[in-house]
């Protein structure tokens, strides 16, 4: 399955993904898929979210080009980050194809 299709499914089903980006391994919760300057990108919360009261998430929002993503796998047993990106983070995508509802 293509990276784009897998990320689309992960966004629809709110599934955490594991992936390599620029040869480093990450986990993250993808929240939106779209384009920036004609290049496909994903807005993703990279890092962990324990979902425990009083424990802050330990991650950051990133807008990553799909061309740099490899070894993508679904991690349905991991907790999905339920926070929402702010306006600054959303500016990373010029057009949005799909986003978390």
């Amino acid at each position: 399955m293509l990276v784009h299709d897998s990320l689309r499914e992960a966004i629809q089903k709110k599934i955490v993904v594991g992936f390599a980006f620029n040869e480093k391994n990450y986990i993250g919760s993808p929240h939106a898929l779209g384009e920036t300057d004609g290049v496909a990108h994903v807005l993703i919360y990279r890092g962990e979210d324990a979902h425990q009261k009083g424990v802050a998430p330990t991650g950051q929002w990133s807008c990553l080009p799909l061309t740099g993503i490899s070894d993508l796998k679904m991690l349905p047993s991991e907790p999905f980050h339920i926070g929402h990106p702010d306006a600054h983070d959303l500016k990373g995508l010029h057009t949005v194809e799909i986003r978390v509802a």
Side-chain angles (χ1 to χ4, degrees), residues 31 43 45 61 81 83-93 99:
H31 278 252
L43 178 62
Y45 185 84
W61 290 102
H81 178 74
H84 300 285
D86 63 24
H88 174 73
D89 298 315
L90 288 170
K91 286 183 182 178
L93 290 177
R99 68 177 353 159

Side-chain angles (χ1 to χ4, degrees), residues 67-98:
T67 55
I69 296 174
S70 62
D71 300 325
L72 186 77
K73 54 191 159 283
M74 303 282 192
L75 303 173
S77 62
E78 295 291 326
F80 191 85
H81 178 74
I82 56 174
H84 300 285
D86 63 24
H88 174 73
D89 298 315
L90 288 170
K91 286 183 182 178
L93 290 177
H94 296 166
T95 61
V96 176
E97 174 186 332
I98 185 173

